[in-house]
Amino acid sequence: MEEERDRIREAFEHKDWNEIKTNDSWAVFKIMSEFVEGYERLSKIGPCVSIFGSARTKEDHPYYKLAEEIAFKLTKNGYGVITGGGPGIMEAGNKGAAKGKGISVGLNIDLPFEQHYNPYIDNDKMLNFDYFFVRKVMFVKYAQGFIVLPGGFGTLDELFEAMTLIQTNKTGRFPIILVGRAFWQGLFDWVREVVLEKESNISPEDMDLVKLVDTADEAVEEINRFYKKYMLTPNF
């Protein structure tokens, strides 16, 4: 609590221009270094699918096992897997990719709790970030699809980031697959009924940005179906 109070008080403290300018300038160099390392390390990984989901999901949970199965089947179809590099669904994704002898990438973030590297990431494809926004750029820039399992605020942030970038044509219209209808249906019923129909804050076609599925086979088939339209094949 004391640390939190200090951070809030610090935001209200008067700072002179030189102090602000110096602190921000050094932060820019750290941000640049994270972008450069990410671009250099990930630019040659080939077609991959980002898997999002909760860090809190335990190994015996059905969603963990489902994420592992999805990742394994993705690698058997030639795709690499990108996760946030931590425990839970992220670990399951990297574990399934490693089991399938496919590309297994982990984009870790420094957090005071929950987050730590899982042991299933390729040694040369393990990256660490201080800044969420840099990490999110890497999730989107180097993925050709997104599979999202149940999670918390971080998962929702990553999901809606991908949807917004596709909606605004800032990235390609890559497939977004939501796994677990029981978890996601209520949210997207609200999006349709309130955000679209009541408030008209999105367009009807925006509802087509995501597909809801329940099984690993459905998730992988949605990815394959998308690329078959363009006669593209992944890392075979």
Side-chain angles (χ1 to χ4, degrees), residues 201-225:
N201 288 333
I202 60 174
S203 302
E205 58 268 24
D206 293 333
M207 295 302 300
D208 297 330
L209 292 175
V210 299
K211 300 287 186 183
L212 273 64
V213 304
D214 281 317
T215 69
D217 286 337
E218 287 177 303
V220 176
E221 180 54 33
E222 287 289 347
I223 298 289
N224 285 335
R225 183 182 296 117

Side-chain angles (χ1 to χ4, degrees), residues 44-50 69-82 96-105 122 125 142-145 147 220-221 223-224 227-228 232-236:
K44 298 180 181 179
I45 59 174
C48 286
V49 174
S50 284
E69 182 184 1
I70 289 168
F72 174 79
K73 291 186 173 184
L74 284 170
T75 61
K76 291 306 180 184
N77 280 266
Y79 297 97
V81 169
I82 301 172
K99 183 179 176 182
K101 304 188 184 305
I103 294 168
S104 182
V105 180
D122 296 339
K125 297 178 179 66
Y142 295 104
Q144 285 71 52
I147 292 180
V220 176
E221 180 54 33
I223 298 289
N224 285 335
Y227 283 103
K228 283 176 184 175
L232 294 172
T233 55
N235 301 293
F236 284 120

Side-chain angles (χ1 to χ4, degrees), residues 35-55:
F35 274 118
V36 170
E37 183 179 15
Y39 291 157
E40 289 183 348
R41 299 271 299 277
L42 298 177
S43 60
K44 298 180 181 179
I45 59 174
C48 286
V49 174
S50 284
I51 295 179
F52 303 140
S54 177

Side-chain angles (χ1 to χ4, degrees), residues 54-69 86-96 99 116 118-120 149:
S54 177
R56 305 186 188 196
T57 305
K58 303 302 182 186
E59 192 171 358
D60 59 352
H61 195 287
Y63 286 137
Y64 183 105
K65 296 174 182 176
L66 186 54
E68 183 180 349
E69 182 184 1
I89 296 297
M90 296 175 282
E91 178 182 288
N94 290 126
K95 184 177 181 180
K99 183 179 176 182
H116 55 79
N118 69 68
Y120 302 105
L149 286 98

Side-chain angles (χ1 to χ4, degrees), residues 75-159:
T75 61
K76 291 306 180 184
N77 280 266
Y79 297 97
V81 169
I82 301 172
T83 81
I89 296 297
M90 296 175 282
E91 178 182 288
N94 290 126
K95 184 177 181 180
K99 183 179 176 182
K101 304 188 184 305
I103 294 168
S104 182
V105 180
L107 309 180
N108 192 49
I109 184 79
D110 284 329
L111 294 177
F113 58 91
E114 285 187 4
Q115 190 77 6
H116 55 79
Y117 277 122
N118 69 68
Y120 302 105
I121 304 165
D122 296 339
N123 289 334
D124 61 336
K125 297 178 179 66
M126 183 184 299
L127 287 85
N128 201 61
F129 297 90
D130 284 323
Y131 297 96
F132 269 110
F133 66 90
V134 181
R135 181 179 182 238
K136 287 196 291 182
V137 168
M138 303 305 156
F139 275 133
V140 176
K141 183 175 178 61
Y142 295 104
Q144 285 71 52
F146 307 93
I147 292 180
V148 191
L149 286 98
F153 290 151
T155 301
L156 294 172
D157 179 40
E158 290 154 354
L159 166 62

